[in-house]
Amino acid sequence: MSECLSLKLSECLTPILNECLTLISIRGQTLITTHFTCIKNFLKLFTFDRVEITRKKKREVGSTVAKRLRYNMNACIGCQTCSLVCSTLLGQHSLSESAIYIKTKGGLQSPYVCVVCVACKENIACLEACRTGALRARPGGGVLFDKSKCISCRLCVKACAIGAVQYSEKLDQPVICRHCGTCTRFCPHQCLWMEEVEEIAEVVEAIEAEALETSKTSSPTPETTHPKEGEAKS
Amino acid sequence: MIYQDYIRVLTIDLTEETYVISQRKDLKAFLGGVGIASKLLEEHLKEDKPVLDSEQCIVFAIGALSTIFPIVTKTVAMFWSPLTGELGESYAGGRMALTMFMARYDAIVIKGRAKKPIYLSISGHSVEFKDAAAMWGLESDEVGRIIREREPGAGKRSILRIGPAGENLVRYASVCVDTYRHFGRLGLGTVMGSKHLKAICIYGKGSHEIKDRKAYFKAFSDIHQKALTTDLMKKYHDLGTPIGVSGMNANKSIPTLNLQTTFYEDISALTGEAFAQRNLIRKTACAGCPVGCIHIGQFRREFGPGYEYEAISVSYDYELIFSLGTFLGLKTSDEVLEMIEAVEAYGLDAISAGVVLGWATEAFQKGLITEAQTLVPLAFGDQKNYLKALKHISDRTNDFYTTLGDGSAAAAKLYGGEDFAMQLAGNEMAGYHTGYGSVLGAAVGARHSHLCNGGYGFDQADDFSMDTLVDRVFDEELHRCLLNSMIACLFGRRLYDRGTIVTAMASIGETHTEESLKQAAAEIYKNKLRLKKRMGFDQTAMKLPKRFFETPGGGTQLEEDVLNRLIRDYDEKCQTLFTKAE
Ligand code: SF4
Ligand code: SF4
Ligand code: SF4
């Protein structure tokens, strides 16, 4: 950890750090190295100074701060940089493999709208629809996706009332925002940002206990052995 | 195609309603964009047939770095220009490059002529030839709306369409791309009209797997960061290109009243600031551009008694404020926006339309043409009659307007007034009369546009010198062959020096050196020059209107002899390009 801190990690990688540290606390010591490598990769990959940066401490088990993606589209210029950046997290140059989708309200003469997961905290429709346990609740709202358990039934796509679950034909999987915050760093007009979410401690504990339970039973997949930069893996 | 050793070309035959895909390894040496498009045009050009013959083709191409790097947003169209009778090359932004990239086509060649009006629906999996008979005659934005409702893929598609001017073969008909961008110049809309092709919808829902994610992301992030920290953002996002209006006017460089002068007394309501304060309602960008220079302005029109108003919004730019504003002596931003709305609706090139009307106004004043021909009296500043005249041009109402629809060169040839028909080799002048650089640049530029080499920029540089002007224009023309193979928006040109292009290319697995890129650019330029020759163009035989030498540009009185010498010098440099290599 001291090595990471010397890289001023905690100053600039708040949301990713959050995710990774969440995981550390969920998965226990064995995964720490993996995630530190991933953190360091991230540090190399990104430089950002336009985004407001807040100093954050390591998230303790059961602590009450998590983050989720928020947006305000009045300054959006429709550049689709967010989508193009998001799809690179899945290793693609694509609009279809992006969890954030920019379109217009009704033709280019109308304002831009953003279709992305709003990080539901209760009655999480996609999660409730999933029969296989491929989705589980994410601290801060929304869900975390485990491809190894997904059977491509698309029930989650249908369930989300705001249409925020995209489906990638190419990868044959749903594409759901993991609230990693990458896109927020590249939006040139500050339409996107990460918002802190106060969690009720008991909810976090319940989520984490469940996660711990499932992690014991799940076997590693190609995805988990090659974690995506900044992605919270299950 | 990205990550492949070939260029992927979709060739569509409208006559037969067939299409083929080819993987062309031989084109890879020409990088992309204008490099591959000029090669494809070279292959398909039939110089022994008329310009608008059904066998002629349109080539669209995206570049080697299209839309996966910031501000690399353009698509090139190449064709035989019905306006100048020589090289047709035009660039448009919007979402077209992104959708072609996602549909996995580097280039699309369209030839033949549909039996009845159609539109093309192109996706990564199919090309459909769809009936557009009911759309024939409709204005451009109406067609956009209809196709938007008929075709899938909101946010992932691009819609190109022509207006009535293209159908009626007005020689400077434009193609509207995604409402706010255009293949404006040199008559691509005319070529589409001649092919009975009303619109094209490209749906890009595919993807490309990234080879080296780390290298790509590093290169992308660096350039993105650089883009955000240059003055580009502020300059072009805040006021957009109209930021140049007041400066150009102060430098006595903005063509005004058919270039009778370069200084406009009544500029205050036409500056970037004036538009922003009075009309600006939002800004938008081409896909992949963090800058967002596209400015949308709104004006209110009373269309009936009883407080009946409608609000209309159109995009405005420097060039339009010049051609439809100062050049015609209009006084307010509202008037200019209403003119823009008209050229948009009819699908006319805004620059040519304005400049042609400038000639017509002066010819009318001088008695070369009469009201029997113009149908409405034309006078500088009379916007209402200009609106009517635009409609007549688009409809080709009578013989006079038909000729006017062939361009200012054709009209002046028939009616007189060639000295003040402000065109270069048939292409109407752009909004810069800054000195020798602006006229030389457009005269020798491959497509006679101010963007071929940005000659006007050298006039304004602190280290301007007549001795180096030809070299600088030449070098810039060459460098832009490279930029236009990527295809970077020219506003981002300072971001993409050769070194940056080498790095960006390397991150997607394309090995180049600055030297190899320079050579590729030279080859591309040579292809273009060869094409021009085949189309019958002779640089040294070009005749420029006298007005260029009567009205001082940027405070300099230009001399015809001097300019002709510069053109000859430039031409010699082009020749050495061929002798050096062969
Ligand atoms: S927060 Fe991350 S996963 Fe969600 S849209 Fe942005 S980049 Fe994609
Ligand atoms: S990156 Fe920002 S400005 Fe660009 S489309 Fe996304 S939200 Fe809009
Ligand atoms: S600078 Fe303007 S024209 Fe160029 S890509 Fe950006 S929005 Fe499009």
Side-chain angles (χ1 to χ4, degrees), chain A residues 69 82 85-86 89 99-100 116 176-184 194:
Chain A
L69 177 65
C82 49
V85 165
C86 182
L89 299 176
I100 183 165
V116 70
I176 307 178
C177 177
R178 60 191 81 135
H179 299 270
C180 67
T182 306
C183 56
T184 65
M194 297 308 284

Side-chain angles (χ1 to χ4, degrees), chain A residues 25-26 38 49 97 104 141 155 162 167 185 205 213 222 233:
Chain A
S25 59
I26 292 170
C38 119
D49 52 21
E97 276 73 32
T104 59
L155 289 175
I162 60 164
Y167 196 82
R185 297 181 167 66
E205 269 159 32
E213 200 50 46
K233 280 284 150 268

Side-chain angles (χ1 to χ4, degrees), chain A residues 45-47 49-50 77 79-80 84 88-89 91 93-94 96-97 101 107-110 112 170 186 189 229, chain B residues 3 98 102 148 154-155 178 180 205 207-208 210 213 217 221 224-225 228 237 282 284-285 287-290:
Chain A
L45 289 174
F46 297 100
T47 38
D49 52 21
R50 288 174 66 85
I77 56 170
C79 65
Q80 291 170 306
L84 289 167
T88 65
L89 299 176
H93 299 296
S94 167
S96 304
E97 276 73 32
Y101 181 30
L108 284 160
Q109 280 162 326
S110 63
Y112 289 106
K170 182 172 185 177
F186 287 87
H189 296 284
E229 290 89 341
Chain B
Y3 304 127
L98 182 68
M102 294 305 178
R148 203 158 55 232
D178 300 329
Y180 296 128
K205 67 165 180 176
S207 57
H208 300 264
I210 302 174
R213 223 196 302 177
F217 223 116
S221 308
H224 182 81
Q225 205 43 237
L228 296 191
H237 184 69
R282 63 190 268 261
T284 157
C289 172

